[in-house]
């Protein structure tokens, strides 16, 4: 089943974000963008070049940027603020809480360079806690697209989504999973493969790794279901409950601290609906290190082979 | 609402607002009287004379924006909003009670006419900059007024905002610094002194106007000067007295965040007249 996905390398999700912004800006002059001196990295420079009067360069001052974005949004603008995930969420968290979440302001917040796949720059720039932080903002919608197609579509939807949104983007080029006609709906997961023995649930760049892991497992005779939860909050309860009931075994894989990201949110739904065997695959209570992105991902066990190992462990438990 | 530029009328409103503040906080048995009383003339001058706004149409797009960044002075804001007709006057004494629209700090979930929910210090000026930038984009005459506490500007984000406004020449924003010189733990000068205040703001590119924050005529002139100043943001450094109008509260750090007793309420109301 998983073999039907070619997984050819595509663009980084941050680049798709930048391109979506330009398209939004062309269609709607109400769209404005703020950045904090990382516009060439977040790809908001594409918007800035096209629409300089609607682009607010805030300097290296993320807290100020988030509040300015909130002010623009509260005056009726469709406002995006962007930086590295580690900076916009950690340095802007208080402002996201008070000026955006608590105030009910529909700001769109984009964090790029998420997870550990950023590579050479190392842990100070990596964000292994952004899903946790974003999900802890009451009322926020949290989105983590797996490829450029998903990102392009979901950014454009997020712009007109009522309420505040956080979008998680990555630095590195990632495989293309979706065809150009794929439909995405905020809050609805996508089942990528059928399967009855095991479900792999993932988000962001780990979705492609789960598809590769599924191929390995299928070769071992394990019927493996793969689900992309591009929306982490609100979480798609139906797709999770169904997977739990029909496969009785779930592994969640994520490029995030394993005890506070997607996995615990999936587990909450599973325990509330159809309890089953679960295993959790992620970054274990640590910060990663510098290196080539693929080296870092390998060392910190974020590859298809590693996910398969965790899956076999879950299957063994299921068999008892 | 009644708009007026008349000094004696504005002074009379200020007296009413002071009474409201004492009664509200007295009834709530908690709250921040000192920093509410120090900002009375500032808010009365803004809401009754300077700002263009319409309590009957709070969402009017061209309205001037007001942010009480020092959100703990909520009682003075609630009083002027009630006196101008945004919110019910007869509920002022429900301050801080469960279900009241008059929450401990301003909360726009309960009062949608509020431009901002505040209470966590240091974030209001940046928020105001976003509103000011939106007005510029829309070529709207709307101006944004942000009241800051002096202790509040110890927060680093204030200086990020100050830098942004000066560099980008945001001349449709006015900060008003309620310089009452006292913060919760004591005198500002003993905790984290701010001097030289005017020089600090001027060096960030702001037009600085020093004013007696209890002199309504001086405030009117200062707001007019700010509006006439183009190419620069303006800040009024309003020299005020914490607890102004109630002798035993004036310049007394105790009344930053302590409510008056029943006897003190009576005494205070007698003094205010």
């Amino acid at each position: 089943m998983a073999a039907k996905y070619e997984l050819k390398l595509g663009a980084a999700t941050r680049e798709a974000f930048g391109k979506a912004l330009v398209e939004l800006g062309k269609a709607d002059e109400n769209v404005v963008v703020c950045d904090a001196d990382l516009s060439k990295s977040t790809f908001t420079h594409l918007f800035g070049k096209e629409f300089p009067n609607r682009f607010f360069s805030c300097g290296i001052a993320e807290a100020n940027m988030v509040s300015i974005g909130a002010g623009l949004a509260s005056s009726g603008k469709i406002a995006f603020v962007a930086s590295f995930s580690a900076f916009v969420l950690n340095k802007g968290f208080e402002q996201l809480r008070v000026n955006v979440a608590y105030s009910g302001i529909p700001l769109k917040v984009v964090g790029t360079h998420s997870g550990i796949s950023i590579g050479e720059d190392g842990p100070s720039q990596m964000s292994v806690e952004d899903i946790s932080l974003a999900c802890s903002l009451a009322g926020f919608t949290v989105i983590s697209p797996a490829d450029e197609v998903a990102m392009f579509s979901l950014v454009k939807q997020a712009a007109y989504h009522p309420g505040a949104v956080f979008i998680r983007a990555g630095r590195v080029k990632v495989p293309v999973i979706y065809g150009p006609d794929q439909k995405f709906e905020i809050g609805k997961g996508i089942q990528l493969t059928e399967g009855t023995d095991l479900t792999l649930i993932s988000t962001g760049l780990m979705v492609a790794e789960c598809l590769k892991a599924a191929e390995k497992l299928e070769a071992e005779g394990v019927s493996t279901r793969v689900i992309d939860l591009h929306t982490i909050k609100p979480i798609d309860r139906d797709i999770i409950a169904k997977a739990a009931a029909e496969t009785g075994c779930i592994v969640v894989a994520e490029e995030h601290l394993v005890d506070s990201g997607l996995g615990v949110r999936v587990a909450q739904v599973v325990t509330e609906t159809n309890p089953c065997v679960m295993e959790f695959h992620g970054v274990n209570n640590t910060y990663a290190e510098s290196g080539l992105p693929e080296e870092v991902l390998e060392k910190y066990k974020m590859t298809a082979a590693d996910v398969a190992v965790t899956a076999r462990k879950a299957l063994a438990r299921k068999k008892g | 609402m009644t708009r007026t530029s008349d000094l004696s009328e504005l002074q009379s409103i200020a007296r009413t607002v002071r009474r409201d503040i004492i009664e509200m906080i007295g009834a709530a048995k908690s709250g921040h009287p000192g920093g509410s009383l120090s900002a009375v003339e500032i808010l009365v001058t803004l809401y009754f004379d300077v700002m263009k706004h319409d309590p009957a149409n709070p969402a009017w797009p061209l309205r001037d924006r007001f942010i009480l960044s020092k959100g703990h002075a909520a009682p003075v804001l609630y009083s002027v909003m009630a006196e101008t007709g945004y919110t019910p006057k007869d509920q002022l004494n429900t301050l801080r009670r469960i279900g009241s629209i008059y929450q401990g700090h301003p909360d726009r979930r309960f009062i949608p006419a509020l431009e901002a929910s505040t209470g966590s210090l240091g974030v209001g000026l940046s928020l105001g900059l976003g509103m000011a930038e939106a007005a510029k984009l829309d070529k709207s005459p709307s101006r944004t007024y942000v009241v800051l506490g002096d202790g509040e500007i110890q927060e680093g984000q204030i200086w990020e905002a100050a830098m942004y406004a000066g560099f980008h020449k945001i001349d449709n924003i006015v900060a008003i610094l309620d310089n009452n010189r006292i913060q919760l733990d004591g005198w500002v000068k003993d905790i984290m002194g701010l001097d030289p205040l005017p020089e600090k703001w001027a060096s960030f590119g702001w037009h600085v106007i020093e004013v007696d924050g209890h002199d309504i005529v001086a405030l009117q002139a200062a707001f007019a000067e700010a509006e006439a100043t183009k190419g620069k943001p303006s800040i009024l450094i309003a020299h005020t007295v914490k607890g102004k109008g109630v002798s035993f509260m004036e310049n007394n750090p105790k009344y930053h965040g302590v409510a008056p007793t029943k006897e003190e309420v009576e005494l205070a109301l007698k003094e205010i007249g």
Side-chain angles (χ1 to χ4, degrees):
Chain A
M1 294 294 293
K4 74 174 178 182
Y5 292 95
E6 283 183 54
L7 300 180
K8 280 190 185 151
L9 201 60
T13 48
R14 60 180 166 133
E15 188 175 348
F17 156 62
K19 287 179 175 165
L21 279 185
V22 173
E23 191 153 302
L24 279 167
K26 279 182 183 156
D28 190 342
E29 64 174 21
N30 219 19
V31 175
V32 300
V33 177
C34 305
D35 200 285
D37 196 43
L38 284 170
S39 69
K40 291 193 180 98
S41 300
T42 61
F43 276 90
T44 59
H45 71 286
L46 299 176
F47 183 96
K49 205 176 146 198
E50 201 85 24
F51 313 104
N53 65 322
R54 287 190 266 147
F55 181 70
F56 299 92
S57 175
C58 297
I60 308 168
E62 294 79 6
N64 191 43
M65 172 182 75
V66 169
S67 298
I68 286 176
L72 285 159
S74 78
S75 290
K77 300 296 166 195
I78 295 171
F80 282 82
V81 300
S83 183
F84 284 14
S85 219
F87 305 141
V88 70
L89 275 175
N90 290 282
K91 294 178 190 243
F93 191 77
E94 142 83 351
Q95 293 70 23
L96 290 169
R97 189 180 86 93
V98 175
N99 290 154
V100 183
Y102 164 54
S103 296
I105 298 301
L107 184 66
K108 316 306 171 194
V109 184
V110 179
T112 67
H113 296 65
S114 301
I116 61 173
S117 53
I118 162 172
E120 295 89 336
D121 276 346
S124 68
Q125 324 288 299
M126 292 172 177
S127 186
V128 290
E129 62 283 274
D130 52 353
I131 293 174
S132 171
L133 289 169
C135 287
S136 66
L137 293 163
F140 257 67
T141 294
V142 178
I143 297 174
S144 167
D147 74 356
E148 58 180 291
V149 182
M151 178 60 88
F152 194 77
S153 169
L154 287 163
V155 168
K156 291 204 293 179
Q157 288 182 48
Y160 298 97
H161 189 69
V165 179
F166 173 73
I167 302 175
R168 190 180 205 229
R171 175 194 166 217
V172 293
K173 291 180 163 55
V174 286
V176 178
I177 296 167
Y178 294 107
D181 299 328
Q182 176 72 41
K183 296 274 180 279
F184 299 91
E185 188 184 338
I186 290 173
K188 290 273 176 246
I190 296 174
Q191 184 175 317
L192 294 166
T193 67
E194 301 286 342
T196 52
D197 297 331
L198 162 79
T199 304
L200 300 177
I201 296 180
S202 190
T203 194
L205 65 68
M206 290 305 286
V207 176
E209 294 306 308
C210 284
L211 283 170
K212 292 181 210 164
E215 210 177 327
K216 288 178 201 293
L217 293 162
E218 292 276 350
E220 296 165 19
V222 181
S223 171
T224 308
R225 183 177 301 195
V226 177
I227 291 171
D228 172 10
L229 285 186
H230 56 70
T231 305
I232 298 172
K233 184 184 171 185
I235 203 158
D236 184 345
R237 295 177 66 87
D238 295 343
I239 205 170
I240 295 168
K242 189 163 177 274
E246 292 175 2
T247 68
C249 184
I250 292 177
V251 171
V252 184
E254 59 189 312
E255 197 195 0
H256 188 276
L257 288 174
V258 73
D259 56 2
S260 61
L262 176 65
V264 295
R265 291 177 166 78
V266 172
Q268 184 184 353
V269 177
V270 170
T271 49
E272 286 171 356
T273 56
N274 303 311
C276 71
V277 171
M278 287 191 75
E279 289 285 336
F280 303 91
H281 194 99
V283 179
N284 280 302
N285 203 28
T286 189
Y287 299 99
E289 63 190 73
S290 291
L292 293 172
E294 57 271 27
E295 291 173 332
V296 176
L297 289 168
E298 197 178 329
K299 184 161 180 180
Y300 289 85
K301 300 191 184 305
M302 292 292 129
T303 69
D306 300 307
V307 174
V309 170
T310 305
R312 288 183 201 108
K313 190 176 155 198
L315 284 163
R317 281 181 56 212
K318 182 186 171 188
K319 280 177 191 150
Chain B
M1 67 167 280
T2 4
R3 295 191 68 92
T4 178
S5 302
D6 180 79
L7 177 61
S8 64
E9 282 180 23
L10 290 167
Q11 282 171 332
S12 160
I13 294 165
R15 254 193 310 279
T16 306
V17 170
R18 282 208 161 80
R19 293 181 65 88
D20 286 347
I21 291 168
I22 293 299
E23 288 176 351
M24 290 169 85
I25 300 176
K29 298 191 176 66
S30 75
H32 298 81
S36 299
L37 292 167
S38 64
V40 169
E41 282 76 14
I42 295 167
L43 268 76
V44 166
T45 306
L46 280 171
Y47 269 82
F48 285 86
D49 183 20
V50 173
M51 287 201 304
K52 292 164 197 75
H53 65 121
D54 180 5
N57 184 13
W60 178 40
L62 302 185
R63 71 191 182 277
D64 289 341
R65 265 72 171 174
F66 178 84
I67 298 171
L68 184 68
S69 192
K70 47 171 282 186
H72 54 277
V76 63
L77 177 58
Y78 293 155
S79 171
V80 294
M81 288 186 82
E83 299 291 343
T84 47
Y86 282 100
T87 53
K89 264 196 80 161
D90 60 3
Q91 291 174 27
L92 282 174
N93 286 354
T94 64
L95 176 72
R96 290 176 167 249
R97 291 213 199 120
I98 189 85
S100 171
I101 64 163
Y102 299 117
Q103 294 280 296
H105 291 78
D107 187 334
R108 56 199 299 277
R109 296 175 305 164
F110 292 84
I111 304 177
L114 283 167
E115 301 292 351
S117 296
T118 53
S120 177
L121 295 174
V123 299
L125 189 55
S126 307
L127 188 68
L129 285 175
M131 296 175 186
E133 286 280 32
K136 278 189 177 286
L137 262 186
D138 293 339
K139 299 188 169 44
S140 160
S142 166
R143 295 172 62 74
T144 300
Y145 295 89
V146 183
V147 170
L148 306 169
D150 51 352
E152 179 182 13
I153 70 169
Q154 292 162 350
E155 292 276 8
Q157 191 185 346
I158 291 293
W159 301 99
E160 292 185 3
M163 208 181 315
Y164 183 102
F167 179 76
H168 290 288
K169 303 180 171 33
I170 311 297
D171 55 9
N172 56 351
I173 196 164
V174 181
I176 304 99
L177 184 68
D178 180 5
N179 191 32
N180 62 35
R181 298 171 298 142
I182 291 172
Q183 58 191 114
L184 190 146
D185 272 349
W187 291 87
V188 173
K189 68 177 170 53
D190 298 326
I191 291 163
M192 181 62 72
L194 303 169
D195 290 338
L197 254 184
E199 288 84 348
K200 277 196 173 82
W201 287 91
S203 74
F204 277 72
W206 288 62
H207 177 65
V208 179
I209 305 165
E210 289 198 73
V211 62
D212 176 343
H214 300 301
D215 180 339
I216 288 170
V217 172
L219 283 166
Q220 288 170 319
F223 284 120
E225 182 181 329
E227 187 154 4
T229 302
K230 301 299 172 200
K232 268 184 169 195
S234 291
I235 181 166
L236 274 59
I237 297 182
H239 299 295
T240 57
V241 174
K242 195 130 181 171
K244 175 74 176 180
V246 179
S247 61
F248 57 90
M249 289 186 176
E250 286 191 359
N251 291 319
N252 185 348
K254 178 187 162 189
Y255 290 99
H256 169 90
V258 172
T261 62
K262 206 168 164 240
E263 295 71 35
E264 286 173 333
V265 167
E266 280 172 28
L267 199 58
L269 291 177
K270 217 172 275 172
E271 282 191 18
I272 292 164

